[in-house]
Every structure is written in structure tokens, then in C-alpha cells.
Amino acid sequence: MTQPVGSFPQRRRFLASSLSFLGLALTLGSAAVMSGCGDDKSGGQLENKGDITQTPDAQDSMKAYMEQGQKRGNPAAKKK
């Protein structure tokens, strides 16, 4: 028996698109599993969510930044 002329290219196209879709789904699925996107990680890394700029380390860093700006002659870094 003879097969219709257009049956093989359509099957190949369907098979290729199905395999491409499956590969995309597996790639995205594995990326989601490896990244660990879950509800338990949604809080972030900070345990204390207070004002982080009021910590001594942050104050020292901001003070050093302002002093560097004054030494360079930055007009925006003048003391108030």
C-alpha cells in the first residue's frame, strides 16, 4: 500500500514539537526544583526586619562615605 505524500512530514513535525515541548517542561521543572521556590523561603534572609540603617555597622559605613565625599569636594556630601 502506498501512504499519502504528506503524512511523514506531519508526523515528524508533531514528534519534533512534542519532544521540544517536553524538553522545555523538563528544563523549567528542574530549574524550579533546584532554585527551591517554596513558601518556607519567602521570608528572606533577615530575621529581624527592623530598620537596617540604624545598626552600628551601617552608621559607620554611612559616616565613612560622607567623610570621603567631603574630602573629594562633593557638594552633596556636606554636613547638615
Side-chain angles (χ1 to χ4, degrees):
M1 289 196 199
T2 59
Q3 302 242 344
V5 176
S7 67
F8 284 123
Q10 288 176 353
R11 284 186 186 174
R12 288 181 190 163
R13 187 177 304 149
F14 177 74
L15 180 63
S17 64
S18 298
L19 288 175
S20 296
F21 182 72
L22 179 65
L24 175 67
L26 288 174
T27 301
L28 293 177
S30 64
V33 168
M34 288 190 327
S35 69
C37 50
D39 292 337
D40 57 338
K41 294 185 180 182
S42 62
Q45 294 182 358
L46 297 175
E47 293 177 10
N48 184 6
K49 295 184 181 181
D51 190 10
I52 199 167
T53 61
Q54 299 303 320
T55 62
D57 290 337
Q59 292 291 325
D60 291 341
S61 178
M62 287 187 282
K63 185 177 178 183
Y65 175 76
M66 294 300 284
E67 288 174 358
Q68 282 181 351
Q70 288 175 351
K71 287 179 184 177
R72 292 181 184 167
N74 187 358
K78 292 182 180 177
K79 286 188 177 180
K80 294 182 179 179

